[in-house]
Amino acid sequence: MDDPITKARQFSEKLRYPGDKKFSRNNLKFSDFSSSFDHNLRNGLLVGASTTPSLEKTIIRTCERLFLPRSSVSVFVFASSQIQATCQSISEQECIVQLSSALVNLLTEDEVSFVIGHELGHHTLCHFLTNGQHDSLELHMQKRAQEISVDRLGLIGCSNLNVATSALIKTVSGLNDNHLKLDVRGFLDQAKSLKNPIHGEGYLNTHPSILVRCRALLWFS
């Protein structure tokens, strides 16, 4: 029987960044996820039509653009002043996305679509697979490449380059629309003032800088 999210994975593969290696899915094993799911139920809010109707519509729209069944995704919002989002694959088909309240309150609905698309990209591109190397230079390089891939899925999720880059600038600055004027080129011009441009992207970082991610999205678009 085909994987219910086969179409989503096939679509995601077309957008995978070349530096993002694809690893074998043979002999996959997942730990019991019930404790993780229960933890989220106890400590967060499960997004749904009855509790968060506007956010639920955003998730449905994002899933449709990425060809993902809404039923395969559980989204929780948890109280935090940190601007955070994570995705945990609990099986080949299902995943849990966590969004901090600070992130949801900071972004517009369309910008949230970018973040959700980004996180779902980790699931559809099977980023839960690794080459077995822990804390190695290769692993950190792979993780940075993965972020470039999933930003592309985030762009599809929100369907607008300005929205995608706005979401990135807001997450790096923590500023909302009251203080920001969207000027991606102005933001990218910050790179011209770097004193050590070739040394700033630390080789042990798991994420590229937002400057690099914005530039990569512009090139991709």
Side-chain angles (χ1 to χ4, degrees):
M1 181 181 297
D2 287 341
D3 184 335
I5 64 170
T6 293
K7 187 174 182 179
R9 288 212 157 99
Q10 290 173 342
F11 177 72
S12 297
E13 284 298 332
K14 296 178 182 179
L15 304 181
R16 187 191 287 268
Y17 173 62
D20 178 8
K21 298 178 182 177
K22 181 179 179 181
F23 296 111
S24 172
R25 293 167 61 190
N26 294 334
N27 302 317
L28 275 179
K29 291 183 180 180
F30 288 88
S31 301
D32 180 11
F33 69 86
S34 58
S35 59
S36 175
F37 194 81
D38 286 356
H39 174 81
N40 281 283
L41 287 172
R42 289 189 174 95
N43 298 283
L45 175 66
L46 178 64
V47 173
S50 61
T51 54
T52 52
S54 180
L55 192 53
E56 173 66 13
K57 290 179 182 178
T58 298
I59 295 168
I60 291 173
R61 182 171 62 248
T62 308
C63 286
E64 287 176 348
R65 288 170 175 165
L66 298 178
F67 305 104
L68 262 173
R70 172 65 179 94
S71 58
S72 68
V73 181
S74 298
V75 181
F76 291 89
V77 178
F78 62 96
S80 175
S81 60
Q82 301 296 313
I83 300 171
Q84 294 178 333
T86 62
C87 180
Q88 177 188 13
S89 295
I90 56 180
S91 72
E92 285 198 79
Q93 292 78 35
E94 298 175 282
C95 67
I96 295 174
V97 174
Q98 292 181 311
L99 306 173
S100 69
S101 56
L103 181 142
V104 175
N105 289 328
L106 175 66
L107 304 181
T108 66
E109 290 180 7
D110 287 339
E111 290 163 350
V112 170
S113 288
F114 169 78
V115 174
I116 293 173
H118 171 109
E119 296 303 330
L120 293 179
H122 284 300
H123 180 58
T124 58
L125 287 170
C126 299
H127 284 165
F128 51 85
L129 300 172
T130 67
N131 58 1
Q133 296 177 331
H134 300 285
D135 294 324
S136 66
L137 176 60
E138 291 77 13
L139 180 60
H140 285 82
M141 291 175 62
Q142 170 69 7
K143 286 184 175 296
R144 291 195 297 274
Q146 289 175 353
E147 293 302 311
I148 301 299
S149 290
V150 296
D151 275 348
R152 296 176 175 187
L153 273 298
L155 176 58
I156 301 302
C158 70
S159 192
N160 187 295
L161 179 62
N162 288 335
V163 169
T165 53
S166 175
L168 287 172
I169 293 172
K170 283 184 178 179
T171 56
V172 76
S173 68
L175 297 177
N176 60 30
D177 288 325
N178 293 330
H179 302 284
L180 278 177
K181 175 184 177 182
L182 180 61
D183 183 3
V184 178
R185 295 296 178 184
F187 173 65
L188 292 176
D189 279 346
Q190 291 182 189
K192 297 177 181 178
S193 299
L194 291 172
K195 303 301 183 183
N196 297 293
I198 64 173
H199 298 298
E201 301 292 326
Y203 67 91
L204 290 180
N205 291 348
T206 58
H207 286 58
S209 69
I210 299 295
L211 278 172
V212 168
R213 290 171 60 186
C214 273
R215 177 70 71 184
L217 265 184
L218 287 174
W219 284 341
F220 174 69
S221 67

